[in-house]
């Protein structure tokens, strides 16, 4: 399958994938698409601080996705997300987005460098300890940098960039970093 080839060895247990792109480019839609093509028997958890559960349901219906086996939550406290996942042991976790997450251990607002670093660190530690892959979205700034610390790119296993191309008719996904495969593969979506 093309998505497995894109990721190299597929989505590896315990890996952390950062999906970046400008707001509105289609990161959330791609996460739902990815959830729909993963094994139907896999338990998938989707935590969204970006959209309400009703908005996500409408997107799933619009994409005509069925039998997705997806638990959806608006929880954005990382410690609570991790506790829920320790208890229910999903096969894959989607976090949409890292900028909306916060840790109770840090006394700054959502989206600050300190919060993003802390939340990323806790999620990565959890992924490695429990061998559960986590796919995290992150916004890019107008200059094209990932909002928050550039350090996050070095913390994760895979960095994927979602871009608009060809007068916004197509979306291109490129690997910027991939510990498990080539960065020469691209995916193009119409």
């Amino acid at each position: 399958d093309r998505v497995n080839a894109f990721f190299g060895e597929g989505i590896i247990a315990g890996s952390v994938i950062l999906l970046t792109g400008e707001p509105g480019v289609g990161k959330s839609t791609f996460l739902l698409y990815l959830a729909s093509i993963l094994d139907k028997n896999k338990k998938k958890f989707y935590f969204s601080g970006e959209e309400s559960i009703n908005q996500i349901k409408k997107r799933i219906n619009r994409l005509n996705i069925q039998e997705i086996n997806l638990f959806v939550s608006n929880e954005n406290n990382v410690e609570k997300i991790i506790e829920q996942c320790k208890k229910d042991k999903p096969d894959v976790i989607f976090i949409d987005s890292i900028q909306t997450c916060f840790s109770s251990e840090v006394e700054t607002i959502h989206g600050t460098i300190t919060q993003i670093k802390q939340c990323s660190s806790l999620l990565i530690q959890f992924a490695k300890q429990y061998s559960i892959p986590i796919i995290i979205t992150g916004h890019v700034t107008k200059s094209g940098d990932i909002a928050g610390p550039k350090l996050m790119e070095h913390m994760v296993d895979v960095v994927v960039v979602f871009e608009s191309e060809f007068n916004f008719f197509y979306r291109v996904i490129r690997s910027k970093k991939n510990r498990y495969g080539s960065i020469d593969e691209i995916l193009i979506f119409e």
Side-chain angles (χ1 to χ4, degrees):
D1 155 87
R2 284 175 253 154
V3 173
N4 277 338
F6 175 77
F7 284 109
E9 298 175 24
I11 296 174
I12 306 297
S15 66
V16 179
I17 299 169
L18 176 62
L19 175 63
T20 68
E22 295 178 4
V25 75
K27 296 180 300 294
S28 300
T29 299
F30 180 72
L31 288 186
L32 291 174
Y33 166 75
L34 194 56
S36 75
I37 65 170
L38 293 174
D39 184 341
K40 306 290 184 238
N41 297 316
K42 299 283 185 192
K43 191 185 326 181
K44 297 158 259 196
F45 280 21
Y46 186 101
F47 295 95
S48 176
E50 297 281 323
E51 298 177 303
S52 71
I53 292 172
N54 191 44
Q55 288 172 305
I56 295 166
K57 184 179 185 308
K58 285 182 180 183
R59 186 185 311 258
I60 289 170
N61 291 339
R62 186 188 61 178
L63 296 171
N64 199 26
I65 296 172
Q66 299 171 9
E67 298 182 44
I68 193 169
N69 195 17
L70 185 69
F71 168 82
V72 179
S73 172
N74 287 125
E75 184 61 63
N76 59 353
N77 176 297
V78 164
E79 288 86 5
K80 289 182 180 179
I81 289 171
I82 289 171
E83 281 307 309
Q84 175 89 47
C85 294
K86 281 181 182 177
K87 185 179 87 171
D88 295 329
K89 299 196 177 35
D91 296 298
V92 64
I93 301 165
F94 301 96
I95 304 289
D96 190 18
S97 73
I98 195 65
Q99 282 84 7
T100 62
C101 289
F102 71 96
S103 168
S104 301
E105 298 173 7
V106 177
E107 294 184 17
T108 61
I109 60 170
H110 307 212
T112 63
I113 290 173
T114 305
Q115 279 288 0
I116 292 171
K117 285 171 67 173
Q118 177 69 10
C119 292
S120 299
S121 180
L122 291 172
L123 289 168
I124 291 166
Q125 181 180 25
F126 172 78
K128 303 300 180 198
Q129 182 177 359
Y130 288 85
S131 295
I132 299 173
I134 300 179
I135 302 167
I136 303 170
T137 64
H139 302 301
V140 294
T141 62
K142 291 179 183 176
S143 65
D145 294 326
I146 297 171
K150 195 77 167 158
L151 175 67
M152 191 174 173
E153 287 185 19
H154 303 289
M155 296 169 71
V156 299
D157 301 302
V158 179
V159 177
V160 176
V161 180
F162 207 117
E163 304 168 337
S164 293
E165 295 284 335
F166 313 109
N167 298 324
F168 303 101
F169 191 67
Y170 295 99
R171 300 294 191 258
V172 176
I173 301 179
R174 306 174 193 279
S175 282
K176 187 174 182 181
K177 170 187 175 181
N178 190 344
R179 289 186 177 145
Y180 310 111
S182 171
I183 59 169
D184 296 330
E185 298 282 338
I186 65 168
L187 292 174
I188 300 174
F189 292 89
E190 182 177 358

